Amino acid sequence: MVFIDVCVGSSCHLTGAPEIVDLIQKEVAKNHLEDEVVLSGCFCLGKCNRVGVSVKIDDEVYTGITRDNFREFWDNTVMKAIKNSEV
């Protein structure tokens, strides 16, 4: 099981948090990962960035997630975490 927290605080909200949540939800559904991923919102992760959104996967915080780099983030970070959790 992988826990994904998307910051929905003021700064991240203004830099696209709702869109990132939507993209994650679509990927989870498309890949039938409903039993593998727990997605939730959270407030400040302490890594505010003027570009993009902060996302925590399990205990690791990633910053600067945007629509433009989402595919790379999903493929290289989220899917890797999911595969590692299955071991």
Side-chain angles (χ1 to χ4, degrees), residues 16-61:
E19 183 176 31
I20 298 303
V21 168
D22 185 55
L23 290 169
I24 293 171
Q25 288 174 325
K26 286 178 180 174
E27 286 298 320
V28 167
K30 181 174 115 180
N31 292 288
H32 309 288
L33 297 170
E34 293 86 352
D35 294 334
E36 303 292 325
V37 173
V38 175
L39 175 63
S40 59
C42 66
F43 288 101
C44 192
L45 291 168
K47 304 270 186 172
C48 294
N49 189 333
R50 292 184 186 264
V51 178
V53 177
S54 295
V55 178
K56 184 169 86 166
I57 299 177
D58 294 325
D59 293 325
E60 187 76 29
V61 177

Side-chain angles (χ1 to χ4, degrees), residues 2 4 55-58 60-63 65 69-85:
V2 172
I4 302 175
V55 178
K56 184 169 86 166
I57 299 177
D58 294 325
E60 187 76 29
V61 177
Y62 301 87
T63 61
I65 309 306
N69 66 21
F70 178 79
R71 173 56 44 206
E72 179 181 357
F73 174 71
W74 178 264
D75 292 342
N76 298 334
T77 306
V78 178
M79 289 305 293
K80 182 179 177 182
I82 292 168
K83 287 177 185 167
N84 288 341
S85 75

Side-chain angles (χ1 to χ4, degrees), residues 8-21:
V8 294
S10 304
S11 180
C12 286
H13 180 79
L14 293 173
T15 57
E19 183 176 31
I20 298 303
V21 168

